[in-house]
Amino acid sequence: MKPASRLSLLKPSPIRAITDGTPQGAIPLGLGEPTWDLPEVGRRALLRAPGPCAYVPHVGLLDLRKAVAAFHGAHVDEVLITTGSQGALFSLFQAWVDPGTKVLVPDPGFVAYPALALMAGAEPVPYRLSADRFRLDADELIRVLEATPDVSVVILNLPSNPTGGGGSLEALKRVADACVARGVLLISDEVYRDLHFGTRCPSLRDVTDRGVVTSSVSKGWGAPGLRVGWAVGDPAWLLPARTVHGYAVTGTATPAQWAALALIEHSDTVLAEARAAVGARWEALAGALREELGQTVAPPDGTFYHFMALPEAAHADPVAFCLKLRDEAKVVLIPGLAFGEGGRRHARLSFAATPEQLREGVKRLAPYWKN
Ligand SMILES: Cc1ncc(COP(=O)(O)O)c(C=O)c1O
């Protein structure tokens, strides 16, 4: 027996090459998840879920949809609850990406985008981010869009995993207008938007209602294990995705939806506390980089990722360099190349780790940058 041929298109991720086989005692700065506790309101709601533990409507609990709609300034009919934002992305791709079409993905960008395009039978076409700080570059994206026939979907991610770069309202508007003019579905992955350092990145909903926003409680609300996410957009875009999601998983776990509701109802405090936790970690990282490496770095536009420039000697084989860091220095960083060719000269350092881990991690890394 052989797995379905569509899977043969998926290459093993270099992330696994780094994280599988992590030696004991290594400091995990490759993580893509919060390390602080689930906020208490969410924990209590998990235990309080009322009545029988029944199936819920495929589209999600009405109260949760109302809360998500209010958070995004949308109508309740514009909200589909999914199993994490990954469930939203998978369902939207299966619903709107025809085999043989092209999907425009950021480079560097979240590894799932090209994989989801390939699983839908499409070809991922990379567009580069700006050279300064890896932000959305509207000129470049529109150039790639105009040069590419048969585009079904364009995906944005502000602020970006892995770079932390955002983009301006004007850039977002130009891209949205170009996609509307081409009749292409624009999906804006805003899962990190509330983890910012003073200024929140613009949302696609600030410039158009003709596109779909995806997000979840996984990052800002600190609850990736709940697996609760959503898509927000025109019900006409959501309906086919809802069919896919329904057949794939029926719906998102009911207790998890109640917990997500409690977290969103307490967004003001939960998100402020998360930003404080991330801010303290950023201070620890920035201080360590200054002391150990003499580097002065600005915080990202959002996320808990520092896209760290690699020493020149590592550019030819950044995966080997990161494996050496893992096995000798015992610090796990993800090579930027894992996120696309545009990330070759950088590595993703997650500062979701504790301040102590960050200080010790940078101390261990320093000799590899100095020599
Ligand atoms: C950019 C981005 N989008 C989406 C996801 C999926 O997250 P979730 O399914 O937990 O919402 C992740 C997870 O790391 C991510 O980094």
Side-chain angles (χ1 to χ4, degrees):
M1 287 283 283
K2 278 207 293 195
S5 54
R6 75 178 77 86
L7 291 193
S8 66
L9 297 169
L10 304 184
K11 293 194 221 98
S13 161
I15 296 186
R16 296 308 296 262
I18 298 288
T19 53
D20 289 355
T22 299
Q24 263 214 330
I27 300 184
L29 305 185
L31 300 170
E33 59 182 346
T35 50
W36 48 95
D37 286 347
L38 175 67
E40 194 51 32
V41 282
R43 187 179 309 284
R44 273 190 266 121
L46 269 176
L47 302 173
R48 231 186 24 224
C53 195
Y55 287 117
V56 283
H58 288 187
V59 68
L61 280 177
L62 181 60
D63 285 351
L64 177 58
R65 290 172 63 219
K66 282 183 184 164
V68 170
F71 189 82
H72 287 274
H75 189 271
V76 65
D77 291 342
E78 295 177 296
V79 177
L80 169 66
I81 302 298
T82 55
T83 45
S85 62
Q86 190 87 13
L89 293 171
F90 175 80
S91 306
L92 286 161
F93 274 53
Q94 289 294 318
W96 291 100
V97 174
D98 247 336
T101 62
K102 313 276 198 305
V103 175
L104 266 49
V105 299
D107 176 7
F110 180 43
V111 291
Y113 305 143
L116 291 172
L118 289 167
M119 284 201 284
E123 184 191 332
V125 175
Y127 65 86
R128 288 292 172 98
L129 303 176
S130 71
D132 66 313
R133 309 206 62 199
F134 296 98
R135 293 186 166 122
L136 173 63
D137 178 344
D139 286 335
E140 173 61 8
L141 197 159
I142 292 169
R143 186 190 66 72
V144 176
L145 181 63
E146 281 171 359
T148 311
D150 302 324
V151 176
S152 49
V153 163
V154 171
I155 183 137
L156 300 177
N157 179 214
L158 273 64
S160 149
N161 172 11
T163 74
S168 68
L169 192 68
E170 191 229 335
L172 202 56
K173 170 107 180 78
R174 288 183 54 214
V175 169
D177 288 348
C179 289
V180 169
R182 270 285 291 273
V184 164
L185 174 58
L186 180 58
I187 300 175
S188 178
D189 176 347
E190 300 182 3
V191 77
Y192 292 98
R193 187 165 174 245
D194 290 290
L195 291 180
H196 59 76
F197 296 81
T199 310
R200 205 176 179 214
C201 282
S203 167
L204 183 63
R205 293 190 65 82
D206 296 334
V207 299
T208 182
D209 53 7
R210 299 185 59 191
V212 177
V213 168
T214 58
S215 190
S216 74
V217 291
S218 297
K219 312 293 180 181
W221 287 271
L226 288 182
R227 309 307 306 130
V228 177
W230 51 84
V232 180
D234 187 327
W237 291 115
L238 298 189
L239 194 62
R242 172 178 160 180
T243 305
V244 173
H245 194 259
Y247 280 120
V249 295
T250 307
T252 302
T254 317
Q257 292 195 57
W258 285 111
L261 173 62
L263 290 172
I264 295 172
E265 282 176 343
H266 292 82
S267 289
D268 284 353
T269 45
V270 170
L271 296 177
E273 280 168 19
R275 281 193 287 272
V278 171
R281 284 159 166 80
W282 168 257
E283 290 306 324
L285 174 65
L289 289 172
R290 206 169 35 244
E291 276 162 36
E292 301 290 341
L293 284 167
Q295 292 183 0
T296 305
V297 287
D301 294 323
T303 73
F304 37 61
Y305 302 124
H306 173 52
F307 211 44
M308 187 171 181
L310 291 175
E312 213 172 309
H315 294 176
D317 194 347
V319 177
F321 182 73
C322 288
L323 281 170
K324 192 166 154 177
L325 296 177
R326 183 194 77 177
D327 296 334
E328 287 182 12
K330 298 216 167 36
V331 179
V332 179
L333 297 187
I334 307 297
L337 190 60
F339 305 94
E341 187 55 41
R344 173 177 287 276
R345 294 168 175 217
H346 292 74
R348 189 187 77 178
L349 184 159
S350 167
F351 54 93
T354 64
E356 296 70 36
Q357 286 175 316
L358 290 163
R359 279 189 281 268
E360 174 61 20
V362 173
K363 194 182 277 180
R364 292 188 193 181
L365 291 176
Y368 296 82
W369 263 254
K370 286 180 184 157
N371 301 325

